[in-house]
Amino acid sequence: MRTLLQAVALWGKKAPSHSITAIMITDDQRTIVTGSQEGQLCLWNLSPELKISAKELLFGHSASVTCLAKARDFSKQPCIVSAAENGEMCVWNVMNGQCVEKAILPYRHTAICYYHCSFRMMGEGWLLCCGEYQDILVIDANTLAVVHTFTSSLSPDWINCMCIVHSMRIQEDSLLVVSVAGELKVWDLSLSINSIQEKQDVYEKESKFLESLNCQTIRFCTYTERLLLVVFSKCWKVYDYCDFSLLLTEVSRNGQFFAGGEVIAAHRLLIWTEDGHSYIYQLLNSGLSKSIYPADGRVLKETIYPHLLCSTSVQENKQSFPFVMGYMNERKEPFYKVLFSGDVSGRITLWHIPDVPVSKFDGSPREIPITTTWTLQDNFDKHHTVSQSLTDHFCGVKDGTETAVVTSSEYVPSLDKLICGCEDGTIIITQALNAAKAGLLEGGSLLKDSSPHKVLKGHHQSVTCLLYPHGLSSKLDQSWMVSGDRDSCVILWDIFTEKILHKFFLEAGPVTRLLMSPEKFRLRGDQIICCVCSDHSVALLHLEGKRCLLRARKHLFPVRMIKWHPVENFLIVACADDSVYIWEIETGTLERHETGERARIILNCCDDSQLLKPESVLPAASETHKHKSIEQKSSSSYQLGPIPCPALKAESSCK
């Protein structure tokens, strides 16, 4: 008989953090999708009147989201794809919020373009991906498997940005990219379809150095089929698409850095900056004629210059920096042209761009006002029926300020206990089921009366992580609980008597993870606790002996994985630079430090890997095979799904 467990998430009056790192609007212009630094996606309803309201939170990524893109023919299947820093890729149905496909690849994508040619291709099409690896990956949009690679015959490099050019005039498709070194490359998509199906190498047909770095955006003018906009961080340029000759260079002023741009009409451009400002330019003819021939006999290109028509108003807030922005040219009624942005505070802002933007009578730029702005917190404030957090009832307010912001939590099913570590250093233990019932159904008064809670005080800094050892090993004491804080202090508690059994002072960075050694790995018959700290150090604690066995401090990069070697009593630490450190636990000495192929062999020879959440570094893409063991062990034990806002009732089922 199968038992279905219903997962329920409760937030209090404060919305969950959603620091926007990627934003897009779906093809039907009804949904805004945002990816966040916290890993979750949010779906927002967009009304025909350009009003915004949060709809669902989607949980599927364990790292920051780097990019979003369309993943299907939206009229047939309303799907988008998201990619995260740790190589996770998910395809989501934005109508019901379900994850329909997931894969983990050893690539960090920074941009994805969907491509499908109905009369030449079978299946759902391709996801053309670029990022922190050489050239372009071709990924099957249906299975998320790597199909092929667009490679460079000259100067292969990471790609900063790309765009697909659909030429109606010649009925051919091309892929334009700009590398980190500033080289423009062109691949012929139409001709490459057969080559990819036949597993042949596909090389670029043209390349040109653009003599600028940090390219942010490349866009083709579909209105003229002649102009090419390329935005760099310190300038933006316009090229002639026919021969890639330079027509215009506009350098940034006042220390601003450009972040992107779009061609919104024939000879009209929209450029935006990292701090959320945007400008609309009209490209004007300088008056030079193509019939003038210079001394060297070449035809003199007709030069153009930009005239600033409009700029957008911005809510100045330094805490919102940086912004991620995009542009939508709506093809259906009511024919809106919309500029949209998201920031690290979780705020979405929309501007309705007029069809014919004009400057003022005196020629100065006109300001376009903000049309709509919205946050998750606005949703929580709007709906007064939002359930209270479990901690709202026993945290309270002191001296006019809220106390006990929860920074970590641990659920203990065997005891029906919810353990919450707080920002002020306290640890709160309450009965989880009664607290949830009271918060959802009967209100706070019942919670205070019928759900007693304990408050443990011992930390002087924010509690960063919690561990209930008995939940991982039945041989350990049922009363033990371990907590770590920002001051690198680890405390062993007796949660029944509320007493501190021992304090470990690691003299390192904040404790980010607490891990238990595997059942079969025993040091003198006992299991041990592994503490990973933010300064890349690792410590091993013997709970029964109340002593620190090992302080490993020589790691130069963030710790990515912990492995145990039971025969030799080795602790194997894999770091984000793909190096491996082997520590002898009994003596506390560094046995070996390996990199490259030797490091991969060592990792593949050890079982019981404990994969940690990556911070900001991902392995090189060329070393695909070293992640095979990780991919095999990363099959999801739960169904990824949405949590609606603001009621926030989970639709996913957990094992």
Side-chain angles (χ1 to χ4, degrees):
M1 179 178 178
R2 295 184 59 186
T3 301
L4 180 64
L5 298 179
Q6 181 68 46
V8 178
L10 295 178
W11 283 279
K13 298 177 182 179
K14 186 177 180 181
S17 298
H18 188 72
S19 305
I20 298 175
T21 55
I23 186 170
M24 67 171 291
I25 295 181
T26 57
D27 282 2
D28 61 358
Q29 292 99 36
R30 296 179 180 177
T31 306
I32 302 175
V33 186
T34 55
S36 68
Q37 190 173 347
E38 294 77 15
Q40 79 266 23
L41 272 65
C42 187
L43 303 182
W44 312 71
N45 285 321
L46 180 61
S47 72
E49 297 78 25
L50 298 182
K51 301 298 182 183
I52 307 173
S53 178
K55 180 172 63 172
E56 291 174 321
L57 285 176
L58 309 182
F59 292 87
H61 290 295
S62 58
S64 177
V65 177
T66 57
C67 54
L68 300 167
K70 167 183 168 181
R72 301 280 196 277
D73 182 346
F74 204 85
S75 61
K76 299 177 181 177
Q77 296 186 59
C79 293
I80 59 104
V81 61
S82 59
E85 282 188 345
N86 59 352
E88 295 171 343
M89 293 185 72
C90 294
V91 176
W92 305 87
N93 185 314
V94 297
M95 299 303 292
N96 56 28
Q98 293 298 317
C99 179
V100 298
E101 193 65 46
K102 181 179 180 180
I104 301 178
L105 302 174
Y107 304 99
R108 185 182 185 274
H109 309 300
T110 55
I112 299 175
C113 288
Y114 173 76
Y115 177 68
H116 185 257
C117 184
S118 58
F119 59 92
R120 294 183 180 180
M121 297 174 64
M122 301 293 290
E124 300 294 344
W126 296 338
L127 299 176
L128 305 178
C129 306
C130 69
E132 296 181 1
Y133 45 84
Q134 287 188 356
D135 302 321
I136 303 294
L137 283 181
V138 181
I139 294 179
D140 188 291
N142 187 40
T143 64
L144 296 183
V146 178
V147 176
H148 208 65
T149 304
F150 288 168
T151 54
S152 298
S153 57
L154 297 173
S155 306
D157 210 337
W158 292 5
I159 303 300
N160 265 2
C161 55
M162 60 182 174
C163 76
I164 296 176
V165 172
H166 301 283
S167 176
M168 299 299 293
R169 181 168 48 87
I170 59 176
Q171 292 295 309
E172 294 292 341
D173 299 331
S174 299
L175 177 67
L176 274 62
V177 308
V178 180
S179 70
V180 294
E183 184 174 11
L184 171 68
K185 296 175 181 287
V186 182
W187 277 272
D188 193 320
L189 288 176
S190 302
L191 295 179
S192 65
I193 295 176
N194 291 335
S195 299
I196 289 178
Q197 292 172 347
E198 296 172 4
K199 304 297 182 182
Q200 298 176 355
D201 292 336
V202 180
Y203 298 103
E204 75 274 29
K205 67 175 183 179
E206 289 185 76
S207 64
K208 175 185 176 67
F209 276 104
L210 303 184
E211 300 178 354
S212 293
L213 299 177
N214 298 323
C215 183
Q216 306 294 317
T217 299
I218 178 170
R219 290 292 182 266
F220 174 68
C221 178
T222 57
Y223 304 95
T224 63
E225 294 203 9
R226 284 295 300 270
L227 300 183
L228 188 67
L229 170 66
V230 185
V231 180
F232 302 90
S233 60
K234 293 186 178 181
C235 67
W236 56 270
K237 301 181 178 183
V238 178
Y239 293 86
D240 189 328
Y241 178 67
C242 294
D243 58 4
F244 299 127
S245 58
L246 180 62
L247 303 179
L248 166 68
T249 299
E250 185 73 6
V251 180
S252 66
R253 299 179 177 86
N254 304 322
Q256 287 184 320
F257 291 94
F258 297 121
E262 284 283 353
V263 181
I264 63 175
H267 303 95
R268 191 175 302 142
L269 309 177
L270 174 62
I271 309 292
W272 56 80
T273 62
E274 283 187 353
D275 55 4
H277 292 82
S278 59
Y279 308 92
I280 297 177
Y281 293 93
Q282 183 72 39
L283 301 181
L284 302 178
N285 192 328
S286 66
L288 292 176
S289 173
K290 291 183 179 179
S291 62
I292 302 176
Y293 288 85
D296 58 7
R298 293 180 302 154
V299 175
L300 183 65
K301 282 288 181 181
E302 189 170 14
T303 58
I304 54 178
Y305 70 94
H307 172 64
L308 180 60
L309 295 176
C310 303
S311 63
T312 56
S313 59
V314 177
Q315 291 181 341
E316 296 292 346
N317 186 356
K318 293 184 179 179
Q319 294 181 349
S320 299
F321 182 85
F323 290 76
V324 288
M325 304 183 72
Y327 172 79
M328 175 191 72
N329 186 4
E330 190 169 343
R331 297 297 182 183
K332 297 179 292 185
E333 292 186 3
F335 302 108
Y336 287 138
K337 294 181 178 180
V338 177
L339 174 69
F340 52 91
S341 78
D343 59 47
V344 294
S345 69
R347 178 172 296 277
I348 293 179
T349 305
L350 299 184
W351 294 267
H352 178 200
I353 305 300
D355 289 332
V356 186
V358 293
S359 56
K360 295 181 181 178
F361 292 111
D362 59 359
S364 60
R366 189 183 302 273
E367 187 174 79
I368 300 174
I370 293 174
T371 304
T372 309
T373 182
W374 198 256
T375 66
L376 271 181
Q377 189 60 51
D378 292 330
N379 259 62
F380 276 62
D381 295 340
K382 178 181 177 182
H383 297 274
H384 301 292
T385 57
V386 174
S387 300
Q388 290 181 297
S389 165
L390 299 184
T391 59
D392 284 347
H393 303 289
F394 44 72
C395 292
V397 177
K398 289 184 179 180
D399 301 326
T401 59
E402 294 185 9
T403 61
V405 176
V406 175
T407 53
S408 58
S409 63
E410 179 87 354
Y411 174 53
V412 184
S414 61
L415 302 177
D416 186 34
K417 298 291 185 183
L418 178 66
I419 307 173
C420 297
C422 301
E423 193 174 41
D424 62 358
T426 60
I427 297 175
I428 300 168
I429 304 176
T430 185
Q431 289 180 312
L433 184 57
N434 285 350
K437 287 166 59 179
L440 284 172
L441 304 176
E442 286 88 359
S445 59
L446 179 63
L447 178 65
K448 294 178 181 177
D449 298 335
S450 64
S451 181
H453 61 274
K454 299 177 181 179
V455 178
L456 309 183
K457 295 185 177 181
H459 289 286
H460 301 292
Q461 294 288 335
S462 173
V463 180
T464 54
C465 49
L466 298 164
L467 180 68
Y468 181 64
H470 182 79
L472 300 174
S473 176
S474 59
K475 294 180 173 59
L476 294 177
D477 197 312
Q478 194 175 10
S479 66
W480 285 356
M481 191 267 294
V482 185
S483 59
D485 66 19
R486 289 189 60 83
D487 203 24
S488 72
C489 173
V490 177
I491 299 180
L492 174 63
W493 302 85
D494 186 321
I495 59 174
F496 297 155
T497 64
E498 306 175 36
K499 291 183 179 180
I500 296 176
L501 301 179
H502 191 72
K503 279 190 176 184
F504 301 90
F505 297 98
L506 304 184
E507 298 178 355
V511 183
T512 57
R513 288 293 299 272
L514 292 170
L515 306 170
M516 172 69 66
S517 64
E519 278 274 7
K520 65 181 181 180
F521 182 86
R522 294 181 177 275
L523 188 66
R524 299 171 188 160
D526 300 318
Q527 288 181 267
I528 53 181
I529 298 293
C530 177
C531 309
V532 181
C533 301
S534 64
D535 63 348
H536 316 158
S537 65
V538 174
L540 297 184
L541 307 179
H542 194 285
L543 297 184
E544 289 86 349
K546 297 182 176 59
R547 60 192 179 91
C548 183
L549 298 175
L550 170 67
R551 298 176 191 265
R553 302 180 182 275
K554 296 186 178 182
H555 313 128
L556 300 179
F557 289 85
V559 177
R560 180 171 59 87
M561 185 188 299
I562 297 291
K563 286 200 173 191
W564 310 81
H565 198 288
V567 178
E568 302 290 343
N569 272 342
F570 284 154
L571 178 74
I572 300 172
V573 180
C575 294
D577 65 336
D578 294 334
S579 64
V580 166
Y581 295 78
I582 304 173
W583 295 88
E584 214 287 322
I585 296 176
E586 297 249 29
T587 62
T589 58
L590 179 61
E591 181 73 18
R592 292 166 67 188
H593 174 221
E594 299 289 355
T595 59
E597 186 65 28
R598 285 177 177 240
R600 288 193 291 275
I601 293 173
I602 291 171
L603 289 178
N604 290 333
C605 289
C606 299
D607 296 326
D608 299 310
S609 65
Q610 291 175 295
L611 185 64
L612 305 186
K613 179 180 178 179
E615 293 181 15
S616 59
V617 182
L618 198 72
S622 58
E623 300 171 342
T624 307
H625 56 283
K626 70 173 176 293
H627 285 267
K628 192 170 184 180
S629 61
I630 300 175
E631 293 180 37
Q632 291 170 347
K633 297 183 181 182
S634 62
S635 60
S636 178
S637 61
Y638 57 92
Q639 296 177 3
L640 305 178
I643 295 185
C645 292
L648 303 171
K649 178 186 71 175
E651 293 182 6
S652 59
S653 59
C654 296
K655 180 178 282 188

